[in-house]
Amino acid sequence: MISASLVQFDVQCLAPAENFGRIHDFVALEAAHGAQLILFPELSNTGYVEPLVPGGPMVSDVPHFGAALYEACAAPDGEEIKALVTLAARHRVHLVIGLGLRDQLRAGVMRNASLLIGPEGVLGQYTKVHQWQNEKLYFTKGDRIDTFAALGTHLGMQICYDIRFPEITRILALRGAGIVTSVWASFGAEATPVADGALFIHRAYTRAVENGVFFLSCNRSGSHGGQRFFGRSCALAPDGTVLGALDHDMEDVLRVEIDLEAVTRYRSFTGIWADRDPTLYEKYLSPDRSDSRRSPPEKS
């Protein structure tokens, strides 16, 4: 069994020192509760971008938000990441954490990333491929989908909007993932009631049962610029069983147990991998397939 904690906390905009301080406190607390894997939301160090929605107002009192965001982002080889590695080693835990990261070489270039950190160091990094609305103003998109060996399986990472593209989770599963993590900073207008409180469960359920993976969905809480983050973190087993879910948007921690043997049990029972027909799918998915493969037009 793997004990996992999904930390649904309120990230402060452009306040990395405060946010990292709270992250360290949460790790110590969850490790004391026996956690082996601890998740933190998207952009846990920087807070979300402004304007939060297209055409919305700038909220932070800074001369240039892009420059301020870059300053709040972590350097890949900087002290903040080194401190997280030390923290993971001290508590013998693995962390999956959404972070704004600076480019290793190019000043001003930023990435919306998810890092896998273990006692041995940084084990993997994923850069968000599908960028939501105004994120495109600031972040350079990712171009890799990888999994990383950890906790007796392979772990794959995605971020927020990526979940709407099933190819991401399928590729991670094809590359051996038994656990897929999804970190979020998903929000809606503060004055508008949540239309579907189980939305995150629906999405996680679909990706879990399609691929036979554990799907861990960790969103943030708090309000900013007239928008309220939805919270409602959840964890789903390969057969769609809800291991745990928070039904609110307040700060909280979701603690669940993961039995990796459930991956084998579900996949061998359903046959979802044996029954796939990628050769057939390729006829329709290949972007350069010739017109000769298409059905001829009907005669009038």
Side-chain angles (χ1 to χ4, degrees), residues 7-292:
V7 180
Q8 180 174 292
F9 83 113
D10 183 1
V11 181
Q12 300 304 303
C13 189
L14 304 179
E18 179 178 344
N19 293 327
F20 275 119
R22 298 204 65 207
I23 288 164
H24 281 245
D25 290 343
F26 277 119
V27 170
L29 177 63
E30 292 312 302
H33 276 279
Q36 298 158 278
L37 173 62
I38 307 173
L39 275 63
F40 291 91
E42 179 180 12
L43 298 174
S44 285
N45 56 335
T46 65
Y48 199 65
V49 303
E50 296 178 19
L52 280 85
V53 296
M58 301 298 291
V59 182
S60 299
D61 185 18
V62 293
H64 188 291
F65 186 82
L69 180 64
Y70 180 77
E71 288 303 314
C73 284
D77 57 354
E79 294 305 313
E80 293 163 326
I81 303 301
K82 292 178 182 176
L84 290 178
V85 172
T86 300
L87 185 69
R90 180 186 310 132
H91 294 288
R92 306 303 299 173
V93 296
H94 286 76
L95 310 176
V96 171
I97 180 168
L99 295 175
L101 284 185
R102 301 178 189 177
D103 186 82
Q104 188 78 36
L105 298 174
R106 297 169 292 176
V109 176
M110 297 169 275
R111 289 179 172 79
N112 184 347
S114 182
L115 262 60
L116 171 62
I117 299 173
E120 310 91 337
V122 177
L123 304 179
Q125 176 182 325
Y126 168 74
T127 298
K128 190 173 185 178
V129 171
H130 304 99
Q131 300 177 96
W132 179 252
Q133 296 183 337
N134 287 345
E135 292 171 23
K136 301 178 184 72
L137 300 176
Y138 304 105
F139 296 117
T140 298
K141 73 188 297 287
D143 60 2
R144 292 189 60 86
I145 305 170
D146 295 312
T147 61
F148 308 96
L151 298 164
T153 184
H154 280 76
L155 186 145
M157 296 176 282
Q158 58 185 251
I159 302 174
C160 199
Y161 185 42
D162 282 329
I163 201 172
R164 299 199 190 201
F165 302 86
E167 294 88 349
I168 294 284
T169 312
R170 175 50 53 90
I171 291 167
L172 292 172
L174 284 167
R175 297 181 68 83
I179 299 173
V180 174
T181 62
S182 181
V183 297
W184 300 70
S186 181
F187 57 84
E190 197 160 19
T192 302
V194 175
D196 182 359
L199 172 64
F200 297 96
I201 293 177
H202 302 328
R203 290 177 173 173
Y205 173 92
T206 303
R207 297 293 164 259
V209 300
E210 285 173 342
N211 299 283
V213 296
F214 284 93
F215 199 96
L216 310 183
S217 175
C218 182
N219 196 16
R220 59 163 288 191
S221 66
S223 296
H224 186 63
Q227 305 293 319
R228 184 159 186 84
F229 294 88
F230 290 131
R232 294 174 171 80
S233 300
C234 60
L236 280 288
D239 65 355
T241 298
V242 179
L243 301 176
L246 301 178
D247 62 357
H248 58 79
D249 60 10
M250 306 300 289
E251 282 200 342
D252 205 344
V253 178
L254 175 64
R255 301 183 181 118
V256 298
E257 297 293 321
I258 295 172
D259 175 10
L260 288 176
E261 293 183 1
V263 174
T264 299
R265 288 196 299 269
Y266 174 74
R267 291 178 178 177
S268 61
F269 173 74
T270 61
I272 59 170
W273 290 95
D275 295 335
R276 293 179 67 245
D277 193 345
T279 303
L280 173 62
Y281 310 152
E282 176 64 21
K283 294 179 182 179
Y284 300 94
L285 296 175
S286 177
D288 59 350
R289 67 189 183 96
S290 65
D291 288 343
S292 62

